[in-house]
């Protein structure tokens, strides 16, 4: 259900609520943990940041009390992703390193079928690569991104491969690398269509749309971006939504539609507050400042104010 309907789908939420209720009736923490982890993922993916943090604290309590290596691995998985979206990059990197250190391919490759539908080490290596890049370690980010794609290929699990490739595509997008971003998005789209992976298809379409506008196919690119966003909204997945809405703003800017681009980046900034995801906030402020600077009636005062805000936000991370 997570693969086909998306992490935030209502049916997924209902099933995990039932699983958690039944697990709590057993009174066994080891039974509660996977259901609680799934409920954390739904909150995290749906932009319910406060609830996700509350559920993460419960996961931490169980995993540390039982000291079970498998549970601790998935605690690093959940904590690393939560801290990255919160903009706490050093903590995210620490959990990614812990996950990479404790992961064993033979022992842990099947955990994807119980936790989140994707491999924990692939995910944490991707998240760690993103966090490494944001804190200024581009070389380390590239190495970790390579590692994630390689590991996903060894596991031979389609959603995990799509996971690694979409993260790499979006890392390329953030760096302004158009051709590799497009090639990776094409690969994710093919996997997603073949396997019915709804939110990966949506993410891939948005990345493709951004890349196509950069290559001059502006109408096709804007169209694919909007198709991807509409598909994403149907899944209920809001994970990394501020970033993806920022890509949409850049697609409109590349198409020369400045007013639409400003409206799109305003929506992206609003989604920061709605979802609690702060990791891309500084860049959204910078993008908006650039759009205002290119407007026919440029407001230099607001442009400078936004750039100062971007610097202040980035300095807090």
């Amino acid at each position: 259900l997570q693969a086909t309907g998306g992490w935030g789908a209502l049916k997924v939420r209902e099933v995990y609520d039932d699983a958690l209720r039944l697990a709590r009736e057993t009174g066994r923490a080891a039974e509660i943990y996977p259901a609680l982890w799934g409920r954390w993922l739904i909150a995290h993916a749906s932009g319910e940041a406060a609830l996700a943090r509350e559920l993460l604290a419960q996961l931490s309590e169980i995993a540390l009390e039982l000291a079970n290596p498998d549970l601790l691995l998935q605690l690093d998985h959940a904590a690393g992703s939560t801290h990255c979206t919160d903009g706490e990059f050093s903590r995210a990197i620490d959990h990614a390193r812990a996950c990479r250190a404790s992961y064993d391919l033979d022992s842990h490759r099947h955990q994807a079928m119980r936790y989140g539908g994707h491999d924990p080490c692939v995910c944490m290596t991707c998240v760690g690569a993103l966090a490494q890049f944001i804190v200024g370690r581009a070389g380390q980010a590239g190495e970790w991104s390579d590692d994630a794609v390689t590991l996903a290929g060894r596991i031979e699990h389609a959603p995990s491969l799509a996971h690694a490739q979409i993260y790499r595509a979006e890392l390329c997008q953030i760096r302004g690398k158009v051709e590799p971003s497009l090639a990776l998005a094409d690969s994710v789209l093919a996997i997603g269509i073949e396997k019915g992976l709804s939110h990966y298809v949506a993410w891939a379409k948005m990345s493709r749309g951004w890349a196509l506008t950069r290559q001059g196919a502006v109408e096709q690119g804007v169209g694919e971006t909007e198709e991807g966003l509409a598909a994403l909204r149907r899944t209920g997945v809001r994970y990394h939504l501020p970033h993806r809405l920022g890509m949409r703003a850049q697609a409109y800017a590349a198409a020369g539609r400045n007013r639409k681009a400003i409206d799109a980046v305003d929506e992206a900034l609003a989604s920061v507050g709605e979802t609690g995801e702060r990791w891309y906030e500084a860049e959204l402020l910078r993008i908006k400042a650039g759009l205002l600077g290119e407007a026919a009636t440029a407001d230099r005062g607001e442009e400078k104010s936004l750039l100062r805000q971007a610097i202040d936000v980035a300095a807090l991370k």
Side-chain angles (χ1 to χ4, degrees):
L1 285 171
Q2 286 177 334
T4 58
W7 292 328
L10 178 61
K11 186 62 176 176
V12 174
R13 187 183 297 257
E14 290 172 349
V15 171
Y16 266 119
D17 283 343
D18 286 345
L20 188 55
R21 175 181 54 79
L22 291 168
R24 282 180 169 148
E25 287 177 5
T26 73
R28 294 190 295 270
E31 297 286 343
I32 294 169
Y33 191 88
L36 186 65
W37 197 99
R39 196 61 189 83
W40 161 82
L41 177 61
I42 292 168
H44 184 54
S46 301
E48 301 170 291
L51 178 58
R53 294 184 200 111
E54 178 185 328
L55 294 170
L56 177 63
Q58 295 176 38
L59 289 170
S60 179
E61 183 178 346
I62 294 172
L64 294 174
E65 180 183 349
L66 296 181
N68 180 306
D70 290 349
L71 304 190
L72 290 168
L73 177 71
Q74 289 296 340
L75 176 61
D76 284 320
H77 185 184
S81 189
T82 299
H83 293 319
C84 187
T85 57
D86 284 349
E88 298 175 348
F89 303 118
S90 294
R91 296 181 73 184
I93 292 167
D94 287 345
H95 283 287
R97 285 193 174 119
C99 182
R100 283 161 60 86
S102 61
Y103 181 83
D104 177 79
L105 180 61
D106 292 333
S107 300
H108 298 133
R109 67 190 303 164
H110 302 299
Q111 283 203 7
M113 302 310 295
R114 197 174 195 198
Y115 296 96
H118 59 274
D119 184 80
C121 192
V122 168
C123 184
M124 273 302 91
T125 304
C126 291
V127 168
L130 178 63
Q132 295 274 19
F133 180 76
I134 293 171
V135 300
R137 302 173 194 153
Q140 188 80 72
E143 290 175 13
W144 281 30
S145 184
D146 288 344
D147 290 347
V149 174
T150 300
L151 177 59
R154 292 178 65 196
I155 294 168
E156 298 180 340
H157 179 241
S160 295
L161 183 58
H163 202 77
Q165 290 185 343
I166 198 62
Y167 260 98
R168 189 177 180 90
E170 294 187 346
L171 185 60
C172 289
Q173 182 271 324
I174 292 169
R175 300 178 68 180
K177 305 291 186 181
V178 176
E179 284 74 19
S181 182
L182 180 58
L184 286 157
D186 283 342
S187 179
V188 174
L189 187 60
I191 295 169
I193 290 172
E194 179 187 354
K195 302 296 184 182
L197 309 177
S198 58
H199 57 263
Y200 290 104
V201 168
W203 291 343
K205 279 185 171 290
M206 294 197 74
S207 292
R208 270 182 52 82
W210 173 87
L212 288 169
T213 62
R214 287 297 186 279
Q215 291 186 334
V218 292
E219 294 304 322
Q220 181 185 354
V222 167
E224 289 211 23
T225 301
E226 291 294 353
E227 284 177 21
L229 180 58
L232 187 59
R233 284 176 167 150
R234 288 193 293 273
T235 70
V237 175
R238 306 181 81 195
Y239 181 67
H240 287 195
L241 183 63
H243 170 230
R244 292 178 175 119
L245 291 175
M247 282 198 292
R248 177 181 178 231
Q250 290 177 314
Y252 275 118
R257 302 180 193 177
N258 190 268
R259 184 65 258 170
K260 290 281 288 185
I262 291 172
D263 289 345
V265 80
D266 281 341
E267 184 179 352
L269 284 165
S271 75
V272 172
E274 292 165 4
T275 64
E277 281 206 17
R278 315 212 75 88
W279 70 271
Y280 200 64
E281 184 180 11
E283 180 64 1
L284 289 173
L285 291 165
R286 188 200 65 79
I287 290 169
K288 183 173 181 180
L291 291 169
L292 291 176
E294 294 172 2
T297 55
D299 184 339
R300 298 303 180 193
E302 187 176 2
E303 181 185 356
K304 289 179 181 179
S305 176
L306 285 165
L307 289 172
R308 290 192 192 99
Q309 287 180 55
I311 291 169
D312 291 342
V313 168
L316 292 173
K317 303 307 182 189

